[in-house]
Amino acid sequence: MLIKNVIRNFCNSTKNLKVGDCISIQRKITEDDLKRFAELSGDMNPVHFSSNSNEAIVHGAFLNSLVSGVIGTKLPGPGTLVVSQNLNFPNKCFVNETIQVRVELVELRKLIKVKFVCEVERGNKVVMHGDAKLACK
């Protein structure tokens, strides 16, 4: 019952959201993160495991999971469901890079629309960007 009440409270609190609301997090992606994600997802593509660990490419799905974590816990927050999503990967993200994940609210109607970007801190390199339509459960 407590969880349903929390979700209801979130759904009622969308009144506090406004277009332009934005949040960002930073995270260094480690070799251990890649190994654990590969085990969990079953994606053992060799590009994610290089003999030179700094050349291992981060899974795009891993980057997307970081965006999902922000959407589901911070903006808009608990009770949010992804209805549709567009992802673009203009550059590779390598292990041991620190990325900034930024999510911005761009439309607030029956469906909430956000845009997001994952950018490598060093060199301002965009490694993923896109948008999503969200619903409140």
Side-chain angles (χ1 to χ4, degrees):
M1 284 309 236
L2 179 60
I3 292 175
K4 285 185 179 180
N5 288 336
V6 169
I7 291 172
R8 276 194 203 104
N9 288 340
F10 166 76
C11 291
N12 293 333
S13 73
T14 57
K15 298 173 200 165
N16 298 327
L17 296 174
K18 63 184 181 310
V19 171
D21 284 351
C22 187
I23 191 155
S24 64
I25 63 161
Q26 283 190 333
R27 178 176 177 144
K28 180 176 181 177
I29 301 173
T30 66
E31 193 171 349
D32 189 52
D33 289 334
L34 250 57
K35 286 178 184 174
R36 291 185 2 225
F37 188 82
E39 289 172 6
L40 182 64
S41 68
D43 184 351
M44 300 293 187
N45 185 332
V47 300
H48 304 302
F49 307 97
S50 176
S51 57
N52 177 356
S53 65
N54 287 334
E55 293 178 2
I57 298 170
V58 175
H59 300 76
F62 180 81
L63 296 173
N64 188 38
S65 73
L66 298 176
V67 170
S68 180
V70 172
I71 288 171
T73 63
K74 299 184 184 318
L75 183 71
T80 303
L81 300 172
V82 175
V83 175
S84 67
Q85 197 171 28
N86 296 305
L87 305 172
N88 301 282
F89 301 92
N91 294 291
K92 296 173 190 163
C93 181
F94 297 99
V95 70
N96 295 320
E97 289 188 310
T98 299
I99 64 165
Q100 178 178 5
V101 177
R102 189 172 59 249
V103 175
E104 180 181 352
L105 187 83
V106 295
E107 194 172 287
L108 188 57
R109 297 182 181 204
K110 184 176 180 181
L111 290 180
I112 299 167
K113 186 173 181 185
V114 296
K115 66 180 179 179
F116 50 85
V117 64
C118 295
E119 190 172 33
V120 173
E121 187 178 54
R122 182 178 35 101
N124 295 328
K125 174 179 72 169
V126 174
V127 293
M128 186 180 84
H129 66 88
D131 57 66
K133 290 182 181 176
L134 315 170
C136 182
K137 182 171 171 97

